[in-house]
Amino acid sequence: MVSNISTLNDLKIGERAQVVSLDADDSINQRLMVMGLLPEMSVTMVQVAPLGDPIAIEFEGRRVSLRRAEAAGVVVESKKQSS
């Protein structure tokens, strides 16, 4: 198993990852935390708008829409099977 550190913005539809940190500016971090997105939570990319922005993620039974610029500030670690 290989760990990849990236941002939420880089996940593909159906890909699951764990939030490592919220590294956006303070107002975006505060908005994400109010929505319930916190470090160590598992998130899944579930949908991308036809023009690529916004995206939809699921965590803790909730589906939330984010702009890609907001998602770019969320550092995640995904696990992929090595071949």
Side-chain angles (χ1 to χ4, degrees), residues 59-81:
F59 59 94
E60 299 287 313
R62 288 177 250 169
R63 184 174 285 206
V64 173
S65 179
L66 298 174
R67 293 184 181 142
R68 283 207 179 262
E70 296 168 327
V74 180
V75 178
V76 296
E77 180 178 19
S78 59
K79 307 255 189 235
K80 296 182 179 178
Q81 294 291 333

Side-chain angles (χ1 to χ4, degrees), residues 10-16 44-49 56 68:
D10 297 324
L11 296 180
K12 309 284 186 233
I13 292 175
E15 192 172 358
R16 189 174 180 93
T44 303
M45 172 74 82
V46 292
Q47 193 170 11
V48 177
R68 283 207 179 262

Side-chain angles (χ1 to χ4, degrees), residues 11-37:
L11 296 180
K12 309 284 186 233
I13 292 175
E15 192 172 358
R16 189 174 180 93
Q18 184 172 28
V19 175
V20 175
S21 63
L22 303 178
D23 289 340
D25 67 33
D26 288 345
S27 63
I28 293 173
N29 286 344
Q30 184 174 15
R31 179 173 177 260
L32 295 171
M33 287 189 285
V34 166
M35 289 190 294
L37 187 63

